[in-house]
């Protein structure tokens, strides 16, 4: 008998939610575990004063990552 889940994501903030979503879209059997209710305001991803920039001082791959993140966000 196979495992019920191939991936378990602990914590469904922005990063965990995106990870679980993308893996499920790829056909993985994913379980997401969150200690609070969906939409709670206890995590780092919550609030109204976050900023995302499309520039960086160093060429460390941040800009392509941010560009791809914007496309996926839409
Ligand atoms: C005040 C503030 C301002 C910020 N401003 C910016 C900004 O302007 N620009 C920027 O790019 N970044 C900013 N950041 C950082 C950015 O918000 C975080 O890096 C990002 O949101 C982290 O996302 P995350 O999904 O990793 O964490 P979180 O959103 O914190 O998600 C973690 C989740 O895991 C859950 N969890 C934790 N432990 C357990 C457990 N044991 N079992 C089950 N669930 C668990 C939590 O409840 C939560 O839902 C800011 C952060 C803060 C706090």
């Amino acid at each position: 008998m196979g495992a019920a889940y191939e991936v378990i994501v602990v914590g469904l903030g922005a990063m965990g939610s995106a990870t679980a979503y993308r893996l499920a879209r790829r056909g993985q059997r994913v379980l997401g575990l969150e200690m609070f209710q969906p939409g709670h305001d206890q995590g780092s991803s919550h609030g109204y004063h976050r900023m995302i920039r499309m520039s960086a001082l160093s060429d460390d791959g941040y800009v392509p990552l941010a560009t791809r993140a914007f496309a996926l966000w839409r």
Side-chain angles (χ1 to χ4, degrees), residues 39-67:
H40 71 83
D41 61 359
Q42 305 298 306
S44 295
S45 304
H46 308 87
Y48 297 98
H49 51 85
R50 301 300 189 271
M51 176 184 71
I52 301 174
R53 57 188 158 72
M54 298 288 276
S55 63
L57 286 175
S58 59
D59 185 19
D60 60 358
Y62 174 84
V63 172
L65 179 72
T67 303

Side-chain angles (χ1 to χ4, degrees), residues 2-4 6 8 11 15 20-21 26-28 30 37 39 44-46 48 54 61 64 69-70 72:
E6 294 166 291
I8 298 176
M15 300 302 168
Y21 174 75
R26 291 182 193 178
Q28 300 270 296
V30 181
Q37 293 292 316
S44 295
S45 304
H46 308 87
Y48 297 98
M54 298 288 276
F70 267 99
L72 292 173

